[in-house]
Amino acid sequence: MAGAGAGVVPAPGGGRPLIITEDPVLLDDLLRLCAAAGAEPHVHHAVPEQGGASGADRASDGSAGGVGWDSAPLVLVGDDAARRVRGAPRRTGVFLVGRDLDDPLVWQRAVEIGAEEVLRLPDAESPLVDRIADVVEGAGRPALAVGVIGGAGGAGASTLACALAVRAARAGERTILIDGDPLGGGMDVLLGGESAEGLRWPDFAASRGRVGAGALEESLPELHALRVLSWDRGDRVVVPPAAMRSVVAAARRRGGVVVVDLPRRVDEAVAEVLAQLDLVLMVVPGELRSVAAAGRVAAGVRMVARDVRVVVRGRCPGGLDPEAVAELLGAPLAGEVPVEVGLPGRVAEGEPPGAQGRGALARFCDGFWQRALGPAQGVPA
């Protein structure tokens, strides 16, 4: 269908969708789907004039002002109205919606109005709700999503994940820290907020479809200028893969930074998370036994993750240097994090990792984000 190019008006981001139809049954369906996505649409019988509506159209959308064809972020054209919008300027974000699955001319009408896609209800209800919700939430560039995993037991992956999130938040980034390891000590504990009000993973275990990005963010505990999704102190240690996928996707949708603390075992739910990450940092102590263990972990992670890099933690007497560790694992070296003296004691007193800006851990994290969140918004080379 029509795409971006000469003479095509790009769809604006954010705002209320525009519905064009006179079919009362279809209109009821579209209004119901908009309500499910949290959107309040404008409704017109034909192409509205730019900047406002008049007469019957104002009465239809129930507002004192309308929306123009060019200014609506999303346009849903009922199949009954396709002929009435054929002369409208070409733009992105136009969808032809109907119910007749056997109409052979529907594709011709879609081409005539420059529709991106033909959506047939009820089969297309779920993807249509997603598209409408993207408009409501002003979907733009997704968050840079970074996972942290320990190559060996006690490597310090949770500490690094927490510090990365703390430093990103202090740099002014919208930050969500996700605890993906149900058998860990709890990221909220590392942040000193185990009793903070807000939802935990068990509250999202039943999630199947789309999770609203704004609702997710507002529901989570806010600690040290970031939002954290952790586990409660209950017995549940399993979240279905579909719920994992929906929650991580929602966390990314509003941009900024998402940091995920990952368990060392890659099961189906963890694979859903790995598939959405831009980069995975594997934390490995610089000694041979840890490197051997990390090799097995890396093999599982690489089956799903698109980019895996090594962070070497500490220098062991007689151990391997960082370059040798990365070479043995066959992965790029992201850097070295020296052991920070006094960090366990400060964490026990309620100070999260990375809080001291002059510490070795904070310096590593700041350098990482400076490279990752540069002008090109790229991941560090």
Side-chain angles (χ1 to χ4, degrees):
M1 299 303 170
V8 178
V9 180
R16 294 167 60 183
L18 170 64
I19 295 174
I20 301 178
T21 184
E22 285 186 301
D23 183 336
V25 176
L26 179 61
L27 178 58
D28 285 345
D29 286 335
L30 293 177
L31 291 176
R32 171 175 55 82
L33 296 177
C34 284
E40 183 181 356
H42 294 276
V43 179
H44 292 263
H45 296 160
V47 177
E49 295 181 2
Q50 179 66 28
S54 60
D57 288 334
R58 283 189 182 172
S60 297
D61 73 7
S63 65
V67 63
W69 171 270
D70 292 345
S71 61
L74 180 73
V75 180
L76 304 176
V77 179
D79 203 11
D80 66 291
R83 290 181 176 82
R84 295 197 297 275
V85 302
R86 277 188 299 192
R90 293 301 176 100
R91 52 155 291 167
T92 58
V94 176
F95 297 89
L96 184 63
V97 187
R99 286 185 163 278
D100 188 354
L101 299 176
D102 300 320
D103 183 356
L105 300 179
V106 63
W107 303 105
Q108 178 181 334
R109 292 194 292 275
V111 171
E112 290 173 348
I113 67 172
E116 290 186 12
E117 192 174 343
V118 174
L119 301 175
R120 286 311 193 197
L121 304 182
D123 292 350
E125 286 192 357
S126 180
L128 182 52
V129 169
D130 284 349
R131 290 184 180 276
I132 298 169
D134 282 341
V135 168
V136 175
E137 296 177 352
R141 182 191 295 274
L144 178 63
V146 177
V148 185
I149 190 168
S158 295
T159 298
L160 178 58
C162 186
L164 283 168
V166 168
R167 300 312 299 173
R170 294 199 174 187
E173 293 290 333
R174 171 192 169 271
T175 304
I176 295 181
L177 174 61
I178 297 177
D179 187 352
D181 186 0
L183 301 181
M187 299 304 290
D188 53 353
V189 176
L190 267 180
L191 289 163
E194 59 268 32
S195 61
E197 292 186 2
L199 300 185
R200 266 67 173 182
W201 264 121
D203 298 303
F204 296 97
S207 301
R208 292 293 182 271
R210 181 190 179 96
V211 175
L216 171 69
E217 186 172 5
E218 292 169 6
S219 71
L220 300 179
E222 184 174 8
L223 303 167
H224 302 278
L226 61 90
R227 298 284 181 166
V228 58
L229 174 55
S230 190
W231 300 83
D232 61 10
R233 310 282 84 87
D235 296 333
R236 177 181 282 276
V237 295
V238 176
V239 170
M244 279 279 192
R245 179 175 61 250
S246 297
V247 169
V248 175
R252 295 197 65 193
R253 208 172 290 128
R254 278 192 164 185
V257 164
V258 173
V259 180
V260 185
D261 181 40
L262 296 163
R264 292 174 59 212
R265 186 173 70 89
V266 180
D267 57 18
E268 189 177 352
V270 174
E272 290 286 358
V273 178
L274 288 170
Q276 298 191 59
L277 299 179
D278 298 296
L279 172 66
V280 176
L281 297 177
M282 177 174 291
V283 186
V284 186
E287 50 92 18
L288 193 57
R289 186 180 179 190
S290 295
V291 174
R296 292 188 290 271
V297 176
V301 173
R302 283 196 183 104
M303 292 178 67
V304 186
R306 62 174 67 95
D307 191 348
V308 182
R309 307 188 191 187
V310 175
V311 175
V312 178
R313 185 166 185 263
R315 290 290 183 101
C316 301
L320 302 167
D321 61 44
E323 290 77 12
V325 172
E327 184 176 354
L328 286 170
L329 292 172
L333 178 65
E336 178 186 3
V337 180
V339 174
E340 189 169 314
V341 177
L343 178 60
R346 295 198 299 272
V347 170
E349 294 173 358
E351 178 184 292
Q356 287 204 355
R358 290 175 293 181
L361 185 58
R363 287 197 300 272
F364 171 87
C365 295
D366 289 347
F368 173 83
W369 290 126
Q370 285 170 9
R371 297 188 300 273
L373 297 170
Q377 291 290 312
V379 178

